[in-house]
Amino acid sequence: MDNIQAIRGTKDILPSEVIYWQHLEKTASKILEKANYHEIRTPIFEQTPLFERGIGEATDVVGKEMYTFTDRGDRSITLRPEGTAGVVRSYIQHKLFASGGIDRLWYSGAMFRYERPQAGRQRQFHQIGLELLGSRAARADVEVIAIATDILKALGLKNLSLQLNSVGSKEDRQTYRQALVNYFTPYQNDLDTDSQDRLTRNPLRILDSKDQKTQEIAKNAPNILDFLQDDSRSHFDKVCTLLTDLGILYELNPRLVRGLDYYTHTAFEIISEDLGAQATVCGGGRYDGLVTQLGGVETPAIGWAMGMERLILLLEQLQPLKPQSPDIYFVSRGEKAENQALVMAQNLRQHGFKVELDLSGSNFAKQFKRGDRSGAKICLVLGDSEVETGIIQVKNLENAEQKTVSQDQLLEILSLSL
Ligand code: ATP
Ligand code: MG
């Protein structure tokens, strides 16, 4: 039988890569916690209607990309394709809104979409995201965008651009939608098949098409910013002004409509020049209608999600990160010595040292070689004769100096040399 392989579109994150993930997670969580966002962890699967209702049935995600199955109790279950719907479900279920104030939440974890796998696009992928619930203020939009740019800056990423648009209120979009249908209908036969389908179901999404001919046609389509009513317009103007006040550069992109139905007003993406085709590292926007749509009390909200795989691809282009070496490599030979080394290594770890114990049982020369390769600063050597006399050899692997010390003094000597 052939060996079983990881499923297409999924990836093992090996120890040499995990270090980048940990760096990303640490950097992001530090910045999120500083702005007093609290981590929330919701289940990886949910009832299918949560996503149908939350994301919208006419979207690609719900229409084509969800991993949906019937469980043994005949329920329709979906592996979450994104984080917001689950967070909002939890927010409503646990009445987090009861405080009446503002809730700042963040999450990270695996998401699932049945897509064509390629660099930066997988079927199981990971997002880190935040949701700010309870504020309608333009300052809220700018706070979340600023946190995103802070994280990317702290990671040392360059060549990024913030694309900004407003998709207006539901009412603004109603009028705009009609204008788009009027504009695209004469070109109907020149649009890609997906976009022909969208013409009746979800015409805004035509603007987001990756098809070249459709893009060409979409260039002259009506601009949503011309369809915003006064309130929507003034909200968007405030967002722009405040971003400028904070020194955050942005580009207006009237074709930015985002894939999910729940967005209202501000929509944004952060794009990298260094990623090729899958260039968006962060996408987000305001979703004032989602909480009521999912049965909660009316709560304006805004959030974003970053694609962690794409960020890792960028981090790997920067300086290489290496896993931390042990402080001590512990070598032993002979039954008594091996057993005692196990106890001593445990004791050293309790005193805060990072210790790797050689378990090979091979001769000292072979163990020393592995010690050299481990990157440790100190090699401890214990044989049965050392056990008899209560001593141990301490070898400094940086300068090859070796001394014999009494086991009672070991902690003191290690503290001085590490
Ligand atoms: P795209 O246009 O690239 O498909 P999207 O609009 O579907 O993105 P969102 O739902 O906004 O993506 O998700 C936010 C971010 O999550 C994206 O900007 C991207 O970085 C990442 N992402 C989305 N889908 C995938 C995937 N299949 N594999 C890896 N990362 C993904
Ligand atoms: Mg997508």
Side-chain angles (χ1 to χ4, degrees):
M1 202 186 95
D2 288 344
N3 286 338
I4 294 171
Q5 308 279 312
I7 290 173
R8 180 166 149 79
T10 70
K11 260 194 187 155
D12 298 312
I13 302 171
L14 300 174
S16 58
E17 296 160 322
V18 160
I19 181 156
Y20 291 91
W21 287 80
Q22 289 170 339
H23 174 57
L24 167 56
E25 286 156 5
K26 247 189 238 151
T27 307
S29 65
K30 219 157 116 197
I31 289 170
L32 288 159
E33 299 285 342
K34 257 195 192 153
N36 209 28
Y37 283 68
H38 299 293
E39 186 179 1
I40 183 167
R41 301 185 187 195
T42 64
I44 281 186
F45 52 57
E46 298 270 0
Q47 296 182 38
T48 305
L50 172 68
F51 303 113
E52 290 171 343
R53 241 190 280 166
I55 300 173
E57 304 202 39
T59 59
D60 283 356
V61 171
V62 173
K64 300 188 205 161
E65 297 173 359
M66 291 206 303
Y67 276 92
T68 297
F69 59 96
T70 309
D71 76 1
R72 289 169 196 272
D74 241 2
R75 302 170 194 89
S76 179
I77 304 283
T78 295
L79 301 186
R80 63 181 184 199
E82 53 93 60
T84 303
V87 170
V88 170
R89 196 251 328 120
S90 172
Y91 173 84
I92 296 167
Q93 182 176 337
H94 300 286
K95 302 192 169 52
L96 298 184
F97 52 79
S99 63
I102 287 183
D103 286 272
R104 291 179 164 92
L105 303 169
W106 71 272
Y107 61 85
S108 75
M111 307 292 160
F112 305 84
R113 297 185 192 177
Y114 195 80
E115 301 200 69
R116 196 168 71 76
Q118 51 203 292
R121 189 176 296 285
Q122 295 173 198
R123 291 181 175 170
Q124 175 177 324
F125 64 101
H126 298 78
Q127 289 183 335
I128 189 159
L130 68 70
E131 316 294 349
L132 168 49
L133 294 122
S135 174
R136 218 174 274 288
R139 282 174 296 144
D141 305 37
V142 175
E143 171 174 306
V144 304
I145 294 174
I147 291 171
T149 55
D150 274 354
I151 291 173
L152 299 170
K153 203 195 290 171
L155 291 170
L157 304 183
K158 304 245 156 60
N159 305 329
L160 297 167
S161 77
L162 168 63
Q163 310 267 311
L164 190 66
N165 193 20
S166 171
V167 295
S169 65
K170 244 183 155 170
E171 294 73 42
D172 302 333
R173 271 211 306 284
Q174 217 57 44
T175 353
Y176 182 55
R177 194 189 153 101
Q178 194 50 51
L180 283 181
V181 173
N182 295 347
Y183 174 80
F184 281 116
T185 304
Y187 299 105
Q188 194 162 5
N189 296 331
D190 301 321
L191 300 174
D192 60 279
T193 356
D194 273 352
S195 295
Q196 290 179 8
D197 188 41
R198 289 177 185 137
L199 193 53
T200 45
R201 283 152 59 88
N202 197 353
L204 258 77
R205 298 278 290 125
I206 300 177
L207 300 175
D208 204 26
S209 167
K210 309 245 161 31
D211 180 78
Q212 229 181 354
K213 203 160 172 202
T214 304
Q215 278 182 358
E216 206 49 47
I217 298 168
K219 268 193 186 144
N220 297 317
N223 183 336
I224 186 149
L225 295 179
D226 299 329
F227 288 76
L228 300 185
Q229 287 168 14
D230 291 350
D231 282 359
S232 307
R233 180 79 227 183
S234 101
H235 180 86
F236 189 58
D237 287 344
K238 264 188 221 151
V239 170
C240 294
T241 310
L242 290 171
L243 283 173
T244 307
D245 289 350
L246 281 181
I248 298 174
L249 302 177
Y250 60 87
E251 278 171 42
L252 292 182
N253 178 354
R255 277 187 298 281
L256 179 78
V257 288
R258 314 273 308 121
L260 318 179
D261 267 1
Y262 53 59
Y263 288 107
T264 50
H265 302 287
T266 314
F268 61 93
E269 286 190 356
I270 301 175
I271 317 266
S272 164
E273 286 171 23
D274 303 328
L275 276 177
Q278 318 309 324
T280 308
V281 292
C282 176
R286 185 165 269 289
Y287 54 92
D288 291 345
L290 182 62
V291 182
T292 35
Q293 206 170 312
L294 293 178
V297 295
E298 196 183 338
T299 310
I302 181 159
W304 52 248
M306 293 190 186
M308 296 174 79
E309 277 76 8
R310 297 184 192 177
L311 294 175
I312 299 290
L313 288 171
L314 290 173
L315 287 176
E316 285 171 348
Q317 292 175 17
L318 302 177
Q319 88 279 22
L321 297 176
K322 291 238 162 60
Q324 206 197 346
S325 306
D327 302 316
I328 296 164
Y329 194 84
F330 207 139
V331 155
S332 58
R333 190 158 162 83
E335 196 182 339
K336 277 191 206 140
E338 285 168 1
N339 292 347
Q340 192 181 332
L342 179 71
V343 176
M344 288 177 80
Q346 194 61 12
N347 185 40
L348 289 171
R349 289 174 191 133
Q350 271 156 17
H351 282 87
F353 298 106
K354 183 170 170 170
V355 184
E356 181 174 344
L357 183 61
D358 191 307
L359 293 173
S360 67
S362 47
N363 64 38
F364 274 126
K366 281 193 181 151
Q367 294 194 47
F368 286 148
K369 253 193 204 142
R370 270 193 290 274
D372 280 332
R373 277 202 302 265
S374 75
K377 288 195 201 79
I378 299 277
C379 181
L380 293 180
V381 188
L382 196 69
D384 281 346
S385 59
E386 277 86 359
V387 174
E388 298 295 333
T389 47
I391 56 165
I392 186 162
Q393 312 287 337
V394 179
K395 196 169 158 188
N396 184 325
L397 292 174
E398 282 167 350
N399 57 17
E401 261 174 34
Q402 186 163 338
K403 48 187 170 193
T404 305
V405 306
S406 140
Q407 290 177 9
D408 302 336
Q409 295 175 307
L410 181 62
L411 271 176
E412 201 181 319
I413 285 168
L414 289 175
S415 313
L416 290 175
S417 37
L418 283 168

